Amino acid sequence: MVVTRFPSLSQTFIALQIAELVNAGFRVDIYNLGEVGDDDWLPEGTQEVFATLNVYHFKNVTVSHEVMAKAVALSDASFYRRVKTRNRLKVLSDTKFNELIKLIYFFQPIKSANIIHYQCLDLGKKVARLKRYGFRMEGIKQLCSLRGSDITKNNNVRKVNWKQLDKFFDWVLPVCEVFKENVIAAGCKSNLQVISSPINTESLLQIKIQRKPNTVLELISVGRLVEKKGLRFAVSMCTKLKKQGVPFKYYIVGDGPLRQDLKNQVLEMGLNDDIFFLGALPSRDTLMQMAKADVLLAPSCRAGNGDSEGIPNVLKEAMLLGLQVVTTRHSGIPELIQHDKNGYLCDEKATDSLFEAISQVLSNKENWQAISNQAKQDVLARFTPSATTQPLIKIYKSYS
């Protein structure tokens, strides 16, 4: 399994998927090309599984004479000659040359694998590039998951040379039907299978709901503070709530590049006493905070650079915790949320539409329990680690 960061607080679904594969009897080694995360960020109940796994961190590899010598000795001669020749011709910078040598060294153990599964497109493209230089991986099946930024950011899906990658990937695994349609339209001819992201349903079901009937509406948003989360529209909507005399508290959990801009917006709109920034919290603390709230606000939208969501896991978590979910008709979200049945949908980037959805929630309190029950039923049927990983296990077993 090749990942961008491990463990990752924002990608616990990858750890859940790996744990499920291990429990199904597969040996999984993890190759981390990104930052080394904190083991406390592993999903609850998976720590013992990951204590038994081999985790290789690219950050720990430095280009020394020893590494160079081992890379040359371990790699195919044609690979090294090709890279070295290109470097002499100044086609590759010293930095890129050093990175390629490190990757040769780093990926040598992976040659014994039956399957290499990349958890995002950039990872698959990086290793495909090694193969183009002559790095041999005959007989190893190549699988690649596709997530939001893979497909949508800067119109990536149409910039990919799918004709070339189709020769490399045996399976492409989008996380929702919308992404599957997008890659087909872009020219992908690989085998396609939607593999949804799981949530830690077992852990969530053990959380004691702390919600109490009161006259103050408690709202919460959870996620990276980036444009595609649409939180500036949520803040603007709160001014309408205040003008209507609706007592509320709005908690924002997460961090990111737009934190200060959002704080400035709150200050300008005079909402300091109503909106609270809690920062990034450990997964368990985030869920406990959600268990106190009435409504999850998730006004997702297409960012200026095209970056979009798939189906945000926080929606699934909120549904299982009994929150009323208010979100947008964005990307794969309508594949999960059915308006007025298991949640509420509004238009993207539309403060008035978001306010109307919240108003509907407030006027529909007698149906909160029915909507919550349906939401829980839908999540447990589709997004447990077992349910989401079964199609992947079927593919793995076909190559074992």
Side-chain angles (χ1 to χ4, degrees):
M1 191 75 69
V2 184
V3 299
T4 53
R5 179 177 183 175
F6 193 83
S8 173
L9 188 59
S10 62
Q11 296 183 342
T12 55
F13 47 85
I14 292 176
L16 289 168
Q17 186 181 86
I18 293 172
E20 195 67 22
L21 289 167
V22 173
N23 291 334
F26 295 97
R27 173 188 166 182
V28 181
D29 292 337
I30 300 167
Y31 291 79
N32 174 27
L33 289 179
E35 297 293 328
V36 180
D38 192 317
D39 285 346
D40 288 341
W41 295 344
L42 289 169
E44 189 173 1
T46 65
Q47 289 83 353
E48 288 186 10
V49 171
F50 283 98
T52 68
L53 304 186
N54 294 321
V55 182
Y56 303 96
H57 295 290
F58 187 66
K59 287 272 185 184
N60 295 340
V61 180
T62 57
V63 179
S64 63
H65 291 298
E66 180 184 7
V67 166
M68 290 281 282
K70 286 184 177 179
V72 174
L74 292 170
S75 66
D76 302 306
S78 62
F79 182 99
Y80 183 71
R81 283 198 303 271
R82 203 171 303 183
V83 174
K84 189 175 181 182
T85 300
R86 289 176 68 87
N87 192 51
R88 284 177 175 171
L89 294 173
K90 303 300 181 183
V91 177
L92 296 174
S93 66
D94 288 342
T95 300
K96 288 185 177 180
F97 176 69
N98 287 345
E99 182 184 37
L100 283 168
I101 292 297
K102 286 168 66 177
L103 286 169
I104 297 170
Y105 179 78
F106 182 67
F107 277 119
Q108 282 304 314
I110 215 167
K111 286 190 171 186
S112 63
N114 300 108
I115 297 167
I116 303 177
H117 184 169
Y118 310 95
Q119 281 291 343
C120 72
L121 183 59
D122 280 348
L123 296 172
K125 288 164 62 178
K126 186 185 289 283
V127 179
R129 184 165 66 109
L130 295 185
K131 188 175 182 181
R132 292 201 297 274
Y133 277 109
F135 190 69
R136 298 173 64 186
M137 292 179 283
E138 284 82 356
I140 304 176
K141 301 302 178 181
Q142 310 286 338
L143 280 60
C144 185
S145 293
L146 291 184
R147 307 191 183 280
S149 60
D150 289 333
I151 300 295
T152 59
K153 192 174 181 180
N154 298 319
N155 201 24
N156 281 346
V157 69
R158 296 195 176 276
K159 295 178 180 178
V160 170
N161 186 339
W162 286 108
K163 186 175 181 180
Q164 191 175 65
L165 286 179
D166 282 339
K167 297 176 182 177
F168 182 68
F169 294 139
D170 295 282
W171 284 87
V172 172
L173 311 170
V175 296
C176 61
E177 292 292 339
V178 166
F179 288 176
K180 179 180 176 180
E181 294 168 6
N182 287 347
V183 295
I184 291 173
C188 176
K189 304 295 184 185
S190 299
N191 294 314
L192 288 165
Q193 172 67 55
V194 172
I195 303 291
S196 302
S197 298
I199 60 170
N200 198 348
T201 48
E202 185 175 342
S203 177
L204 282 160
L205 290 172
Q206 295 173 6
I207 292 177
K208 183 178 180 181
I209 305 302
Q210 303 177 49
R211 203 167 296 116
K212 297 178 181 179
N214 56 58
T215 57
V216 177
L217 180 68
E218 293 206 9
L219 311 169
I220 191 167
S221 290
V222 178
R224 285 269 295 159
L225 306 188
V226 293
E227 186 181 358
K228 70 179 177 180
K229 297 300 181 182
L231 294 185
R232 67 187 181 93
F233 301 103
V235 172
S236 295
M237 184 276 300
C238 287
T239 63
K240 291 180 173 291
L241 283 180
K242 194 160 188 174
K243 287 178 181 177
Q244 291 293 323
V246 177
F248 72 93
K249 299 294 181 185
Y250 178 27
Y251 300 93
I252 298 175
V253 179
D255 209 341
L258 295 185
R259 179 177 178 129
Q260 193 55 53
D261 289 346
L262 289 168
K263 281 190 165 185
N264 292 341
Q265 183 185 1
V266 168
L267 183 63
E268 290 169 6
M269 293 183 168
L271 297 170
N272 287 36
D273 295 331
D274 308 291
I275 300 179
F276 308 91
F277 292 85
L278 304 184
L281 300 176
S283 179
R284 184 73 178 181
D285 293 347
T286 298
L287 296 174
M288 295 300 290
Q289 189 69 40
M290 290 171 65
K292 301 175 185 178
D294 300 304
V295 178
L296 176 83
L297 284 183
S300 301
C301 62
R302 187 176 187 271
N305 64 1
D307 194 12
S308 302
E309 308 268 24
I311 304 176
N313 266 14
V314 69
L315 302 183
K316 306 166 194 174
E317 292 168 341
M319 292 165 77
L320 203 54
L321 288 172
L323 281 79
Q324 303 300 295
V325 172
V326 176
T327 185
T328 52
R329 298 178 182 90
H330 167 79
S331 192
I333 290 175
E335 295 175 31
L336 170 65
I337 301 296
Q338 296 179 313
H339 184 69
D340 206 24
K341 293 183 178 179
N342 61 7
Y344 300 84
L345 292 169
C346 64
D347 298 333
E348 287 187 38
K349 300 181 180 180
T351 301
D352 288 343
S353 182
L354 183 58
F355 177 70
E356 288 171 10
I358 288 291
S359 298
Q360 186 175 354
V361 172
L362 291 172
S363 63
N364 199 28
K365 283 191 174 183
E366 68 276 9
N367 289 327
W368 278 21
Q369 191 60 53
I371 288 175
S372 176
N373 290 343
Q374 184 63 54
K376 289 178 183 179
Q377 181 179 323
D378 292 343
V379 169
L380 289 173
R382 297 174 56 193
F383 298 107
T384 64
S386 175
T388 58
T389 311
Q390 282 306 310
L392 186 60
I393 288 174
K394 185 176 179 181
I395 294 171
Y396 275 36
K397 283 185 174 179
S398 70
Y399 297 129
S400 299

